[in-house]
Amino acid sequence: GNSVTQMEGPVTLSEEAFLTINCTYTATGYPSLFWYVQYPGEGLQLLLKATKADDKGSNKGFEATYRKETTSFHLEKGSVQVSDSAVYFCDPNQGGKLIFGQGTELSVKP
Amino acid sequence: GAVVSQHPSRVICKSGTSVKIECRSLDFQATTMFWYRQFPKQSLMLMATSNEGSKATYEQGVEKDKFLINHASLTLSTLTVTSAHPEDSSFYICSASGGGYLYEQYFGPGTRLTVT
């Protein structure tokens, strides 16, 4: 079945720093790739997605590119804000339950 | 985007009582719904998968007689925590999938259960 390896947190950055959260996956076939975000005290919500190779998902300044050759979907943001502090989950999905691990906690300091 | 609601958002109940949590897809038909629980500072843990009109599939270690799941329609699934105990206190989140190519899931806002 599908699996994912995600950068361990917590990741602590200063405001306006560059962010990369690595995500690599194993899958049979071609999954759709998702990043979900969970802000403190809230449920999960979709951050961005990509459905085929070389697609770039983007939202709220975050980007991730579907890299089939490296089976990766790294999350990046050029300048983080305090409000980006949350837990981020990468999910390679071909239907069914979410495939994610512990998530990566991001803490942005002013 | 698709919206999933959960009700109630918070509930406090006494030990030994039962609590029902509803999960509704508001603007799409959810062929599959998932129930998760989350402990503080932990990742989500899948409890069960439910498909409309059929029995839920429970993950290993989850007591199906304690956590009753009903998916009676394409827009509603319920989770009933029976004979709740303090250790059942947790954040419960549902998600819904309409199936199809994208496999995208839509999450409810979660329900905070506190058992006293």
Side-chain angles (χ1 to χ4, degrees):
Chain A
N2 294 6
S3 66
V4 65
T5 300
Q6 200 175 321
M7 173 189 278
E8 283 193 24
V11 173
T12 303
L13 295 174
S14 298
E15 205 164 24
E16 298 183 4
F18 183 85
L19 168 73
T20 299
I21 300 179
N22 290 338
C23 169
T24 56
Y25 64 91
T26 59
T28 53
Y30 303 100
S32 294
L33 302 177
F34 304 91
W35 276 100
Y36 293 93
V37 58
Q38 186 176 27
Y39 297 102
E42 299 183 14
L44 258 72
Q45 56 186 277
L46 176 68
L47 178 61
L48 54 82
K49 65 187 178 189
T51 58
K52 61 182 188 295
D54 301 324
D55 266 3
K56 178 185 284 187
S58 60
N59 185 26
K60 298 182 180 180
F62 290 89
E63 292 184 339
T65 301
Y66 192 140
R67 299 288 187 201
K68 177 169 166 288
E69 63 279 8
T70 55
T71 61
S72 64
F73 194 52
H74 304 322
L75 182 68
E76 296 182 335
K77 185 171 185 181
S79 175
V80 293
Q81 305 299 312
V82 173
S83 58
D84 294 327
S85 297
V87 181
Y88 294 82
F89 298 89
C90 177
D91 172 42
N93 208 298
Q94 290 172 286
K97 61 187 179 184
L98 293 184
I99 310 293
F100 57 48
Q102 293 296 312
T104 301
E105 182 181 355
L106 171 66
S107 177
V108 181
K109 306 297 183 186
Chain B
V3 178
V4 173
S5 69
Q6 267 184 254
H7 178 79
S9 58
R10 288 179 180 273
V11 58
I12 301 172
C13 70
K14 295 193 174 190
S15 188
T17 62
S18 295
V19 174
K20 180 185 283 188
I21 302 170
E22 291 186 349
C23 176
R24 292 181 185 273
S25 57
L26 299 185
D27 50 4
F28 69 103
Q29 293 187 326
T31 52
T32 306
M33 286 187 170
F34 303 89
W35 285 96
Y36 299 86
R37 69 184 295 184
Q38 186 178 36
F39 294 102
K41 297 288 188 180
Q42 300 291 318
S43 181
L44 275 73
M45 181 191 80
L46 179 67
M47 299 175 67
T49 302
S50 75
N51 293 293
E52 183 264 340
S54 61
K55 288 185 178 180
T57 301
Y58 289 81
E59 295 297 302
Q60 193 171 8
V62 178
E63 299 176 61
K64 62 180 180 182
D65 294 329
K66 180 168 184 62
F67 298 99
L68 301 178
I69 291 172
N70 183 282
H71 192 163
S73 77
L74 284 170
T75 60
L76 173 64
S77 177
T78 60
L79 167 67
T80 302
V81 183
T82 62
S83 187
H85 291 284
E87 58 265 30
D88 298 325
S89 299
S90 192
F91 193 50
Y92 292 87
I93 300 176
C94 73
S95 71
S97 172
Y101 174 67
L102 291 180
Y103 311 125
E104 188 172 331
Q105 294 196 24
Y106 304 96
F107 291 87
T111 297
R112 173 73 61 191
L113 170 64
T114 303
V115 184
T116 60

Short mmCIF file of all heavy atoms in Angstrom, two decimals, chain A residues 37-78:
data_model
loop_
_atom_site.label_atom_id
_atom_site.label_comp_id
_atom_site.label_asym_id
_atom_site.label_seq_id
_atom_site.Cartn_x
_atom_site.Cartn_y
_atom_site.Cartn_z
N VAL A 37 -3.51 20.97 6.36
CA VAL A 37 -2.98 21.78 7.45
C VAL A 37 -3.98 21.77 8.60
O VAL A 37 -5.20 21.76 8.39
CB VAL A 37 -2.69 23.23 6.99
CG1 VAL A 37 -3.94 23.91 6.44
CG2 VAL A 37 -2.10 24.06 8.12
N GLN A 38 -3.44 21.72 9.79
CA GLN A 38 -4.28 21.78 10.99
C GLN A 38 -3.77 22.90 11.88
O GLN A 38 -2.67 22.81 12.45
CB GLN A 38 -4.25 20.46 11.74
CG GLN A 38 -5.22 20.42 12.91
CD GLN A 38 -5.26 19.07 13.60
OE1 GLN A 38 -4.29 18.33 13.59
NE2 GLN A 38 -6.38 18.75 14.23
N TYR A 39 -4.55 23.96 11.98
CA TYR A 39 -4.20 25.07 12.84
C TYR A 39 -4.56 24.71 14.29
O TYR A 39 -5.42 23.86 14.52
CB TYR A 39 -4.91 26.34 12.40
CG TYR A 39 -4.50 26.78 11.02
CD1 TYR A 39 -5.31 26.56 9.91
CD2 TYR A 39 -3.26 27.39 10.82
CE1 TYR A 39 -4.92 26.94 8.64
CE2 TYR A 39 -2.85 27.77 9.55
CZ TYR A 39 -3.68 27.54 8.47
OH TYR A 39 -3.28 27.92 7.21
N PRO A 40 -3.91 25.33 15.25
CA PRO A 40 -4.14 24.98 16.66
C PRO A 40 -5.62 24.99 17.03
O PRO A 40 -6.33 25.96 16.78
CB PRO A 40 -3.36 26.07 17.41
CG PRO A 40 -2.28 26.46 16.47
CD PRO A 40 -2.89 26.37 15.10
N GLY A 41 -6.06 23.90 17.60
CA GLY A 41 -7.44 23.81 18.07
C GLY A 41 -8.48 23.60 17.00
O GLY A 41 -9.68 23.61 17.29
N GLU A 42 -8.05 23.38 15.77
CA GLU A 42 -9.02 23.22 14.68
C GLU A 42 -8.87 21.87 14.01
O GLU A 42 -7.93 21.13 14.25
CB GLU A 42 -8.81 24.33 13.64
CG GLU A 42 -9.02 25.73 14.18
CD GLU A 42 -8.87 26.79 13.10
OE1 GLU A 42 -8.89 26.43 11.90
OE2 GLU A 42 -8.75 27.96 13.47
N GLY A 43 -9.82 21.55 13.14
CA GLY A 43 -9.73 20.33 12.35
C GLY A 43 -8.83 20.53 11.15
O GLY A 43 -8.30 21.61 10.92
N LEU A 44 -8.67 19.46 10.38
CA LEU A 44 -7.83 19.55 9.19
C LEU A 44 -8.53 20.28 8.06
O LEU A 44 -9.75 20.24 7.96
CB LEU A 44 -7.48 18.14 8.68
CG LEU A 44 -6.10 17.62 9.02
CD1 LEU A 44 -6.06 17.29 10.48
CD2 LEU A 44 -5.79 16.40 8.19
N GLN A 45 -7.75 20.86 7.21
CA GLN A 45 -8.31 21.42 5.98
C GLN A 45 -7.30 21.25 4.87
O GLN A 45 -6.09 21.20 5.10
CB GLN A 45 -8.68 22.89 6.16
CG GLN A 45 -7.55 23.78 6.63
CD GLN A 45 -8.04 25.19 6.91
OE1 GLN A 45 -8.16 26.00 6.01
NE2 GLN A 45 -8.30 25.48 8.16
N LEU A 46 -7.81 21.15 3.67
CA LEU A 46 -6.94 20.99 2.51
C LEU A 46 -6.16 22.27 2.28
O LEU A 46 -6.72 23.36 2.26
CB LEU A 46 -7.78 20.66 1.28
CG LEU A 46 -7.00 20.55 -0.03
CD1 LEU A 46 -6.11 19.32 0.00
CD2 LEU A 46 -7.98 20.47 -1.21
N LEU A 47 -4.86 22.15 2.08
CA LEU A 47 -4.03 23.31 1.78
C LEU A 47 -3.82 23.43 0.27
O LEU A 47 -4.04 24.48 -0.32
CB LEU A 47 -2.69 23.22 2.50
CG LEU A 47 -1.70 24.35 2.24
CD1 LEU A 47 -2.27 25.69 2.69
CD2 LEU A 47 -0.38 24.08 2.94
N LEU A 48 -3.36 22.33 -0.33
CA LEU A 48 -3.17 22.33 -1.78
C LEU A 48 -3.10 20.90 -2.28
O LEU A 48 -2.94 19.96 -1.48
CB LEU A 48 -1.93 23.12 -2.18
CG LEU A 48 -0.59 22.76 -1.52
CD1 LEU A 48 0.06 21.58 -2.20
CD2 LEU A 48 0.35 23.96 -1.56
N LYS A 49 -3.18 20.76 -3.58
CA LYS A 49 -3.16 19.42 -4.15
C LYS A 49 -2.56 19.44 -5.55
O LYS A 49 -2.48 20.49 -6.19
CB LYS A 49 -4.59 18.86 -4.22
CG LYS A 49 -5.49 19.64 -5.17
CD LYS A 49 -6.91 19.18 -5.09
CE LYS A 49 -7.81 20.01 -6.02
NZ LYS A 49 -9.24 19.74 -5.82
N ALA A 50 -2.15 18.25 -6.00
CA ALA A 50 -1.68 18.06 -7.38
C ALA A 50 -2.09 16.66 -7.80
O ALA A 50 -2.00 15.72 -7.02
CB ALA A 50 -0.17 18.24 -7.47
N THR A 51 -2.56 16.53 -9.00
CA THR A 51 -3.14 15.26 -9.40
C THR A 51 -2.32 14.50 -10.43
O THR A 51 -2.59 13.33 -10.69
CB THR A 51 -4.56 15.46 -9.94
OG1 THR A 51 -4.49 16.37 -11.05
CG2 THR A 51 -5.46 16.03 -8.88
N LYS A 52 -1.31 15.13 -11.02
CA LYS A 52 -0.49 14.40 -11.99
C LYS A 52 0.91 14.97 -11.99
O LYS A 52 1.17 16.06 -11.48
CB LYS A 52 -1.10 14.43 -13.38
CG LYS A 52 -1.26 15.79 -14.01
CD LYS A 52 -1.92 15.64 -15.37
CE LYS A 52 -1.92 16.97 -16.11
NZ LYS A 52 -2.73 17.99 -15.45
N ALA A 53 1.80 14.22 -12.57
CA ALA A 53 3.22 14.57 -12.57
C ALA A 53 3.45 15.97 -13.12
O ALA A 53 2.82 16.38 -14.09
CB ALA A 53 4.00 13.55 -13.38
N ASP A 54 4.32 16.69 -12.43
CA ASP A 54 4.74 18.06 -12.77
C ASP A 54 3.70 19.12 -12.46
O ASP A 54 3.96 20.31 -12.63
CB ASP A 54 5.17 18.16 -14.23
CG ASP A 54 6.33 17.25 -14.56
OD1 ASP A 54 7.20 17.06 -13.68
OD2 ASP A 54 6.36 16.69 -15.67
N ASP A 55 2.54 18.71 -11.99
CA ASP A 55 1.55 19.68 -11.53
C ASP A 55 2.10 20.42 -10.32
O ASP A 55 2.76 19.82 -9.48
CB ASP A 55 0.25 18.98 -11.12
CG ASP A 55 -0.75 18.91 -12.23
OD1 ASP A 55 -0.43 19.36 -13.36
OD2 ASP A 55 -1.87 18.42 -11.98
N LYS A 56 1.77 21.69 -10.23
CA LYS A 56 2.13 22.46 -9.04
C LYS A 56 0.85 22.90 -8.35
O LYS A 56 0.01 23.56 -8.96
CB LYS A 56 2.97 23.68 -9.42
CG LYS A 56 3.33 24.55 -8.21
CD LYS A 56 4.06 25.83 -8.63
CE LYS A 56 5.48 25.55 -9.00
NZ LYS A 56 6.26 26.79 -9.24
N GLY A 57 0.74 22.52 -7.09
CA GLY A 57 -0.37 23.02 -6.30
C GLY A 57 0.08 24.25 -5.55
O GLY A 57 1.23 24.36 -5.14
N SER A 58 -0.83 25.20 -5.37
CA SER A 58 -0.47 26.41 -4.64
C SER A 58 -1.68 26.99 -3.93
O SER A 58 -2.81 26.87 -4.40
CB SER A 58 0.13 27.46 -5.57
OG SER A 58 -0.79 27.81 -6.56
N ASN A 59 -1.41 27.60 -2.78
CA ASN A 59 -2.48 28.22 -2.00
C ASN A 59 -1.83 28.98 -0.85
O ASN A 59 -0.90 28.47 -0.22
CB ASN A 59 -3.44 27.16 -1.47
CG ASN A 59 -4.64 27.76 -0.75
OD1 ASN A 59 -5.04 28.89 -1.02
ND2 ASN A 59 -5.23 27.00 0.14
N LYS A 60 -2.32 30.16 -0.59
CA LYS A 60 -1.86 30.98 0.55
C LYS A 60 -0.35 31.18 0.55
O LYS A 60 0.27 31.28 1.62
CB LYS A 60 -2.28 30.33 1.88
CG LYS A 60 -3.78 30.19 2.07
CD LYS A 60 -4.10 29.58 3.43
CE LYS A 60 -5.59 29.44 3.61
NZ LYS A 60 -5.93 28.86 4.93
N GLY A 61 0.27 31.20 -0.61
CA GLY A 61 1.70 31.41 -0.69
C GLY A 61 2.51 30.12 -0.61
O GLY A 61 3.72 30.13 -0.81
N PHE A 62 1.83 29.01 -0.32
CA PHE A 62 2.50 27.72 -0.29
C PHE A 62 2.46 27.09 -1.68
O PHE A 62 1.51 27.28 -2.43
CB PHE A 62 1.79 26.77 0.69
CG PHE A 62 1.95 27.13 2.13
CD1 PHE A 62 1.05 28.00 2.74
CD2 PHE A 62 2.99 26.61 2.88
CE1 PHE A 62 1.19 28.34 4.07
CE2 PHE A 62 3.13 26.94 4.21
CZ PHE A 62 2.24 27.81 4.82
N GLU A 63 3.52 26.31 -1.98
CA GLU A 63 3.57 25.61 -3.25
C GLU A 63 4.14 24.21 -3.03
O GLU A 63 4.94 24.00 -2.11
CB GLU A 63 4.49 26.33 -4.25
CG GLU A 63 3.98 27.67 -4.72
CD GLU A 63 4.91 28.27 -5.77
OE1 GLU A 63 6.09 27.86 -5.83
OE2 GLU A 63 4.44 29.15 -6.51
N ALA A 64 3.74 23.29 -3.90
CA ALA A 64 4.35 21.97 -3.91
C ALA A 64 4.19 21.41 -5.32
O ALA A 64 3.13 21.57 -5.94
CB ALA A 64 3.68 21.04 -2.90
N THR A 65 5.24 20.77 -5.81
CA THR A 65 5.24 20.23 -7.17
C THR A 65 5.29 18.72 -7.12
O THR A 65 6.10 18.13 -6.40
CB THR A 65 6.43 20.77 -7.98
OG1 THR A 65 6.34 22.20 -8.02
CG2 THR A 65 6.40 20.22 -9.40
N TYR A 66 4.45 18.09 -7.90
CA TYR A 66 4.35 16.63 -8.00
C TYR A 66 5.56 16.15 -8.79
O TYR A 66 5.63 16.29 -10.02
CB TYR A 66 3.06 16.28 -8.73
CG TYR A 66 2.60 14.85 -8.71
CD1 TYR A 66 1.25 14.56 -8.58
CD2 TYR A 66 3.48 13.78 -8.89
CE1 TYR A 66 0.77 13.27 -8.59
CE2 TYR A 66 3.02 12.48 -8.91
CZ TYR A 66 1.66 12.22 -8.77
OH TYR A 66 1.20 10.93 -8.79
N ARG A 67 6.51 15.54 -8.10
CA ARG A 67 7.72 15.04 -8.75
C ARG A 67 7.66 13.52 -8.82
O ARG A 67 7.95 12.84 -7.85
CB ARG A 67 8.96 15.46 -7.95
CG ARG A 67 9.15 16.96 -7.82
CD ARG A 67 9.57 17.59 -9.10
NE ARG A 67 9.92 19.01 -8.92
CZ ARG A 67 9.93 19.89 -9.91
NH1 ARG A 67 9.60 19.51 -11.15
NH2 ARG A 67 10.26 21.14 -9.67
N LYS A 68 7.30 13.04 -9.97
CA LYS A 68 7.13 11.59 -10.13
C LYS A 68 8.47 10.89 -10.07
O LYS A 68 8.61 9.80 -9.51
CB LYS A 68 6.42 11.32 -11.45
CG LYS A 68 6.22 9.87 -11.81
CD LYS A 68 5.28 9.76 -12.99
CE LYS A 68 5.30 8.38 -13.60
NZ LYS A 68 6.55 8.11 -14.34
N GLU A 69 9.52 11.49 -10.66
CA GLU A 69 10.81 10.82 -10.74
C GLU A 69 11.45 10.64 -9.37
O GLU A 69 12.20 9.68 -9.16
CB GLU A 69 11.75 11.59 -11.68
CG GLU A 69 12.11 12.99 -11.23
CD GLU A 69 11.05 14.04 -11.54
OE1 GLU A 69 9.93 13.67 -11.98
OE2 GLU A 69 11.34 15.24 -11.36
N THR A 70 11.16 11.55 -8.46
CA THR A 70 11.72 11.43 -7.11
C THR A 70 10.65 11.06 -6.08
O THR A 70 10.93 11.01 -4.88
CB THR A 70 12.38 12.75 -6.67
OG1 THR A 70 11.43 13.82 -6.80
CG2 THR A 70 13.60 13.05 -7.53
N THR A 71 9.46 10.79 -6.54
CA THR A 71 8.28 10.50 -5.68
C THR A 71 8.26 11.45 -4.49
O THR A 71 8.24 11.03 -3.32
CB THR A 71 8.24 9.03 -5.23
OG1 THR A 71 9.42 8.72 -4.48
CG2 THR A 71 8.14 8.12 -6.42
N SER A 72 8.26 12.73 -4.81
CA SER A 72 8.28 13.72 -3.74
C SER A 72 7.22 14.79 -3.98
O SER A 72 6.75 14.99 -5.12
CB SER A 72 9.66 14.38 -3.63
OG SER A 72 9.95 15.10 -4.81
N PHE A 73 6.88 15.47 -2.91
CA PHE A 73 5.87 16.54 -2.97
C PHE A 73 6.19 17.52 -1.85
O PHE A 73 5.42 17.73 -0.93
CB PHE A 73 4.47 15.93 -2.82
CG PHE A 73 3.34 16.86 -3.19
CD1 PHE A 73 3.31 17.52 -4.40
CD2 PHE A 73 2.26 17.03 -2.31
CE1 PHE A 73 2.25 18.35 -4.74
CE2 PHE A 73 1.19 17.86 -2.65
CZ PHE A 73 1.19 18.51 -3.86
N HIS A 74 7.35 18.15 -1.95
CA HIS A 74 7.84 19.02 -0.89
C HIS A 74 7.04 20.31 -0.83
O HIS A 74 6.77 20.94 -1.85
CB HIS A 74 9.32 19.34 -1.10
CG HIS A 74 10.20 18.14 -1.21
ND1 HIS A 74 10.02 17.00 -0.44
CD2 HIS A 74 11.27 17.90 -2.01
CE1 HIS A 74 10.94 16.11 -0.76
NE2 HIS A 74 11.71 16.62 -1.70
N LEU A 75 6.74 20.72 0.38
CA LEU A 75 5.96 21.96 0.59
C LEU A 75 6.92 23.12 0.80
O LEU A 75 7.86 23.01 1.60
CB LEU A 75 5.05 21.80 1.80
CG LEU A 75 4.14 22.97 2.13
CD1 LEU A 75 3.07 23.14 1.06
CD2 LEU A 75 3.49 22.77 3.50
N GLU A 76 6.68 24.23 0.12
CA GLU A 76 7.56 25.40 0.24
C GLU A 76 6.73 26.68 0.38
O GLU A 76 5.62 26.78 -0.12
CB GLU A 76 8.46 25.53 -1.01
CG GLU A 76 9.42 24.38 -1.20
CD GLU A 76 10.33 24.58 -2.39
OE1 GLU A 76 9.93 25.32 -3.32
OE2 GLU A 76 11.42 24.00 -2.41
N LYS A 77 7.35 27.62 1.09
CA LYS A 77 6.79 28.97 1.15
C LYS A 77 7.95 29.93 1.28
O LYS A 77 8.86 29.72 2.08
CB LYS A 77 5.82 29.13 2.32
CG LYS A 77 5.14 30.50 2.32
CD LYS A 77 4.02 30.61 3.34
CE LYS A 77 3.30 31.95 3.19
NZ LYS A 77 2.20 32.14 4.16
N GLY A 78 7.90 30.98 0.52
CA GLY A 78 9.03 31.90 0.47
C GLY A 78 9.20 32.74 1.72
O GLY A 78 10.33 33.10 2.09
#
